[in-house]
Amino acid sequence: MTSKKLVNSVAGCADDALAGLVACNPSLQLLQGHRVALRADLDSLRGRVALLSGGGSGHEPAHAGFIGKGMLTGVIAGAVFTSPAVGSILAAIRAVAQAGTVGTLLIVKNYTGDRLNFGLALEQARAEGIAVEMVVIGDDSAFSVLKKAGRRGLCGTVLIHKVAGALAEAGAGLEEITKRVSEVAKAMGTLGVSLSSCSVPGSKPTFELTADEVELGLGIHGEAGVRRIKMATTDEIVKLMLDHMTSPSNVSHVPLKAGSSVVLMVNNLGGLSFLELGIVANAAIRCLEGLGVKIARALVGTFMSALEMPGVSLTLLLVDEPLLKLIDAETTAAAWPNVARVPVSGRKRSRPAPIDPPEAPDSTAVAGSASQRVGLVLERVCSTLLGLEEQLNALDRAAGDGDCGTTHSRAARAIQDWLKQGPPPASPAQLLSKLSVLLLEKMGGSSGALYGLFLTAAAQPLKAKTDLPAWSAAMDAGLEAMQKYGKAAPGDRTMLDSLWAAGQELQAWKSPGAGLIPILTTAVKSAEAAAEATKNMEAGAGRASYISSARLEQPDPGAVAAAAILRAILEVMQSQGS
């Protein structure tokens, strides 16, 4: 079965993609009759060296994303994973030559088709009297034994674009640029890893992996790698990659040693999430610095992809100060990242947290036995939420990401860890404030924010008094804050429905002679009934409001959780004879 792609047609997808890039970038132009993109200001390059690169489409943003002042002059694109036509390459060479450039350097990745087609165009251009040179980039560090075809050209080619572009912008000649980038390419290596394959539009995936396999050392055209390894943690996979790239037993290794200075590229092969990319980058930096390697610059993003392949490649380039200046030189290329011109290694990556303000004296502190009861209540609430994790997640899947139970369990574990550090505060106001901070920091999601708002607001009436009317007022304050910032109202099918129902019953605490347990029992029953009733409500707030009400046949998980918390509180109070 072929994969789904957002294309107009398989045959025209490469043309449409390049046309889209040019349409969005006024600094680019298409060369009529060819799949070629050029700088719109070609006339400004008179007397300078032009830089052309290219290859098959499907590697976006490479190569056209790197056209601009300080990088490439133009790009010739082939069909997906297919070398560009000789005629288009020659047309691009002629176009820059006729604009008054003094020579053209072709920067070509080491693949047979690219070498042949760019090489043939070079020979034809030279026959016309055009000064043309070609560098073939092979930065693949996958093969321990050198193949006859040489090392494949991978993401490190983008760094060659940058170095060559900086030299050309500075006015260097064709011979000098060719010599310099050829030397730089020898001090560079790239290795990729992927969780699965990619698929060319109109085709099936190029290879298959089982659920516990990862492909190591693969290229950028969907071809399989040098070996398959078992799925492991990011730290373990990144260490394996860097060990392979730097091992002296590997003929294509990067000769790193303690004290070496490198540029690190962490390249998304197309389908990896930015979350995963950040984890990989962190692992690579920690691993390299653990070896005593200095990271001069770190570039993280999508530079040379393989369509939608969910993988990543690491590129290491040994640098000195002169080379670093070329990497840092200004460029207008849209896909080149805005990288800080300071070393990554050797700087502080965190700062001390702000100091908590001193707590004001509180005259409402409860006795030791009451503080012990608070601990029992919190423990029961935590055990209740942990026991409901799967049920709440199942209820939440109907309306979104299915993590309501996980979120509440995270809060429960955070409270349990907090209780291990010592008894809870004796003051009710301080207790709720501490819980608010804890949930805001540890629980996460909108639930954490809503509970945090509720507890912060509820703490305020308890600073002066802690009698039953004060606790009723605390409930009112918490509900008001939730409605103000959460924009939910009773009947909107949220956790507020349970809490609101309980709050209405707790108004009875404001009457003289009101009893704690009888009214709390009524409030809990009302909250449970309200939670059950949410399955017949149309969601008016929260993520569920975007889902058709016909699909929401179960009660709201937040309302169920809130009612369960109230039930847990009641049960402990009853067992303690309050």
Side-chain angles (χ1 to χ4, degrees):
M1 177 178 166
T2 59
S3 61
K4 292 186 288 186
K5 293 284 192 296
L6 279 173
V7 299
N8 295 313
S9 69
V10 172
C13 63
D15 294 287
D16 289 348
L18 192 61
L21 178 68
V22 173
C24 296
N25 289 273
S27 61
L28 303 182
Q29 290 180 327
L30 291 171
L31 189 61
Q32 291 182 4
H34 300 278
R35 199 182 292 126
V36 173
L38 297 166
R39 283 175 58 172
D41 61 345
L42 274 188
D43 292 339
S44 69
L45 297 178
R46 183 174 299 275
R48 297 195 179 190
V49 172
L51 305 174
L52 297 177
S53 188
S57 298
H59 303 304
E60 291 74 19
H63 299 80
F66 300 108
I67 299 174
K69 182 179 179 180
M71 287 194 79
L72 297 176
T73 309
V75 158
I76 309 95
V80 175
F81 294 171
T82 304
S83 299
V86 175
S88 292
I89 301 170
L90 182 58
I93 296 172
R94 288 170 176 165
V96 296
Q98 291 169 17
T101 58
V102 295
T104 299
L105 176 62
L106 305 178
I107 302 172
V108 180
K109 300 188 303 300
N110 186 30
Y111 293 98
T112 302
D114 288 352
R115 288 198 318 270
L116 290 173
N117 290 5
F118 276 88
L120 182 54
L122 175 147
E123 294 299 334
Q124 292 179 350
R126 282 180 176 174
E128 297 174 7
I130 302 173
V132 188
E133 294 291 343
M134 183 168 80
V135 290
V136 178
I137 307 303
D139 56 311
D140 185 10
S141 290
F143 296 98
S144 298
V145 178
L146 194 61
K147 302 288 184 178
K148 183 178 180 180
R151 300 166 69 185
R152 296 172 293 190
L154 301 175
C155 187
T157 308
V158 175
L159 293 175
I160 299 301
H161 294 163
K162 185 66 182 65
V163 172
L167 289 168
E169 188 64 30
L174 180 58
E175 183 179 351
E176 180 187 353
I177 297 173
T178 304
K179 181 180 178 181
R180 287 288 301 278
V181 298
S182 297
E183 293 172 351
V184 171
K186 296 175 183 176
M188 181 171 64
T190 298
L191 188 68
V193 68
S194 183
L195 306 179
S196 64
S197 181
C198 62
S199 56
V200 174
S203 301
K204 298 178 180 179
T206 53
F207 62 84
E208 299 289 342
L209 287 174
T210 60
D212 64 343
E213 286 183 323
V214 174
E215 194 80 14
L216 180 70
L218 70 174
I220 53 171
H221 300 99
E223 68 269 40
V226 293
R227 60 189 271 216
R228 291 183 178 179
I229 59 174
K230 291 296 183 181
M231 189 67 195
T233 66
T234 302
D235 285 353
E236 291 168 335
I237 290 174
V238 167
K239 184 179 185 303
L240 178 65
M241 294 174 71
L242 292 173
D243 286 347
H244 185 86
M245 292 174 68
T246 60
S247 172
S249 63
N250 179 357
V251 71
S252 58
H253 75 283
V254 182
L256 285 190
K257 58 183 179 181
S260 293
S261 183
V262 300
V263 169
L264 166 69
M265 289 187 81
V266 182
N267 172 55
N268 189 346
L269 287 172
L272 206 66
S273 69
F274 279 91
L275 182 143
E276 293 164 285
L277 202 63
I279 296 171
V280 171
N282 183 47
I285 288 172
R286 286 189 287 105
C287 190
L288 288 168
E289 289 181 339
L291 298 173
V293 175
K294 299 176 182 177
I295 301 169
R297 302 289 185 270
L299 287 66
V300 182
T302 306
F303 305 103
M304 185 174 288
S305 66
L307 292 170
E308 81 282 22
M309 182 176 284
V312 64
S313 67
L314 301 178
T315 299
L316 298 176
L317 170 64
L318 290 166
V319 293
D320 54 18
E321 283 304 315
L323 180 54
L324 205 52
K325 287 182 179 179
L326 297 174
I327 297 291
D328 286 342
E330 293 286 346
T331 180
T332 61
W336 184 258
N338 183 20
V339 179
R341 295 174 175 83
V342 292
V344 170
S345 297
R347 67 176 184 88
K348 290 184 178 180
R349 295 185 182 134
S350 64
R351 63 185 301 138
I355 300 173
D356 292 336
E359 292 183 354
D362 196 314
S363 59
T364 62
V366 295
S369 60
S371 180
Q372 184 179 16
R373 186 188 307 143
V374 168
L376 294 174
V377 167
L378 292 176
E379 286 288 1
R380 176 67 67 86
V381 168
C382 291
S383 62
T384 297
L385 292 177
L386 290 171
L388 287 173
E389 180 173 0
E390 289 304 319
Q391 178 186 342
L392 295 176
N393 280 342
L395 292 175
D396 195 33
R397 289 188 192 104
D401 49 10
D403 68 344
C404 182
T406 302
T407 301
H408 281 79
S409 291
R410 188 161 54 239
R413 293 187 181 93
I415 293 172
Q416 288 177 332
D417 291 342
W418 177 61
L419 289 173
K420 292 175 183 177
Q421 299 172 15
S427 157
Q430 290 181 3
L431 171 68
L432 298 191
S433 295
K434 290 287 188 182
L435 287 173
S436 169
V437 172
L438 185 68
L439 297 185
L440 286 169
E441 181 180 344
K442 302 292 186 181
M443 187 175 188
S446 56
S447 296
L450 288 169
Y451 279 116
L453 281 167
F454 178 87
L455 293 169
T456 299
Q460 306 314 307
L462 298 173
K463 288 182 176 179
K465 294 181 179 180
T466 59
D467 54 9
L468 291 182
W471 278 101
S472 178
M475 188 71 167
D476 293 342
L479 291 170
E480 182 181 354
M482 289 182 74
Q483 291 181 84
K484 179 179 179 181
Y485 295 102
K487 299 299 182 183
D492 279 346
R493 197 183 187 278
T494 69
M495 62 189 291
L496 180 68
D497 289 302
S498 294
L499 295 173
W500 178 267
Q504 299 313 294
E505 299 296 339
L506 295 183
Q507 296 295 318
W509 276 348
K510 296 176 181 177
S511 301
L516 169 62
I517 295 299
I519 293 174
L520 182 57
T521 301
T522 302
V524 171
K525 291 179 179 178
S526 181
E528 290 171 336
E532 182 65 19
T534 58
K535 68 181 180 182
N536 299 316
M537 296 179 184
E538 182 174 348
R543 185 179 285 116
S545 63
Y546 301 103
I547 308 297
S548 168
S549 59
R551 293 168 55 190
L552 301 174
E553 300 173 348
Q554 301 295 328
D556 178 73
V560 172
I565 291 171
L566 293 173
R567 170 62 66 181
I569 294 171
L570 172 63
E571 289 175 351
V572 174
M573 302 292 281
Q574 289 174 327
S575 68
Q576 294 293 303
S578 299

